[in-house]
């Protein structure tokens, strides 16, 4: 239902909505539906507090948000999961794409670098994406990149 809501509310727009659902109770935890930032969401204090409260109650939380271009989860999406105990995510695209992703391992390096100027991890998104430069389609290149990162950082990445 929340995936459909995000797609319906943002149809034809370049903006996103974010929902947190408790997989333990089946109830809404929180949402951000009032922002109009192109291709992004700024998490609010209330949203983060609501998710933390659910996690403190030992609930499993699913973050659902839309990607206007239908791309797989971003490095920022993956890094957000590192801020939580038991959270996974789904992105839905207006092109019909649906991706599930789980929390990457945190090997003490904190986050997956988003560009080559950040040091600490051998394999980062930029290097992985360059590995698949022969793919001219952004969606296919990002999917292959996420598959490679999923192996390195031991998380689940599935196109549903």
């Amino acid at each position: 239902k929340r995936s459909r809501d995000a797609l319906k509310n943002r149809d034809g727009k370049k903006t996103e909505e974010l929902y947190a659902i408790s997989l333990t109770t089946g109830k809404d935890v929180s949402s951000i539906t009032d922002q109009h930032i192109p291709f992004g969401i700024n998490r609010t204090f209330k949203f983060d507090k609501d998710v933390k409260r659910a996690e403190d109650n030992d609930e499993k939380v699913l973050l659902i948000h839309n990607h206007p271009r239908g791309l797989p989860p971003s490095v920022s999406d993956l890094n957000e999961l590192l801020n939580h105990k038991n959270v996974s995510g789904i992105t839905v695209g207006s092109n019909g794409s649906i991706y599930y992703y789980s929390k990457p391992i945190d090997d003490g390096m904190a986050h997956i670098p988003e560009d080559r100027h950040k040091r600490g991890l051998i394999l980062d998104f930029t290097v992985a994406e360059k590995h698949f430069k022969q793919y001219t389609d952004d969606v296919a290149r990002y999917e292959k990149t996420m598959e490679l990162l999923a192996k390195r950082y031991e998380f689940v990445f599935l196109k549903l």
Side-chain angles (χ1 to χ4, degrees):
K1 180 174 179 356
R2 294 300 173 221
S3 295
R4 284 191 307 262
D5 290 346
L7 291 174
K8 180 181 173 190
N9 296 339
R10 302 301 169 140
D11 187 33
K13 299 176 183 173
K14 297 178 182 178
T15 57
E16 301 178 13
E17 290 188 357
L18 175 63
Y19 298 90
I21 309 296
S22 171
L23 294 175
T24 306
T25 67
K27 295 181 180 179
D28 289 337
V29 172
S30 197
S31 64
I32 300 174
T33 60
D34 59 351
Q35 295 181 5
H36 301 284
I37 303 163
F39 307 109
I41 291 273
N42 286 330
R43 283 173 173 77
T44 63
F45 176 78
K46 179 189 179 316
F47 185 88
D48 288 340
K49 183 178 170 186
D50 292 344
V51 171
K52 184 176 181 339
R53 184 180 322 112
E55 287 184 299
D56 288 346
N57 288 331
D58 292 323
E59 296 178 38
K60 293 181 181 181
V61 177
L62 179 66
L63 301 178
I64 300 170
H65 73 287
N66 65 301
H67 275 181
R69 294 178 285 193
L71 295 174
S74 66
V75 173
S76 295
D77 296 334
L78 294 170
N79 282 337
E80 178 58 32
L81 298 187
L82 292 171
N83 296 323
H84 302 281
K85 293 188 300 187
N86 203 359
V87 174
S88 56
I90 287 181
T91 61
V92 296
S94 55
N95 63 353
S97 64
I98 303 172
Y99 298 97
Y100 170 82
Y101 55 103
S102 66
K103 181 179 174 177
I105 61 163
D106 185 351
D107 59 4
M109 298 304 223
H111 291 76
I112 300 169
E114 295 180 37
D115 64 53
R116 64 184 148 178
H117 302 293
K118 294 181 183 177
R119 299 183 181 266
L121 297 170
I122 297 168
L123 180 62
D124 64 17
F125 183 82
T126 303
V127 172
E129 186 181 20
K130 284 182 181 179
H131 184 76
F132 297 106
K133 65 184 175 192
Q134 73 273 18
Y135 289 87
T136 57
D137 176 54
D138 285 343
V139 173
R141 187 172 62 252
Y142 274 58
E143 285 176 359
K144 291 294 184 188
T145 301
M146 284 297 128
E147 289 170 5
L148 188 61
L149 291 173
K151 288 179 186 173
R152 165 60 176 92
Y153 294 103
E154 300 178 24
F155 65 90
V156 176
F157 168 72
L158 297 171
K159 183 174 184 177
L160 305 176

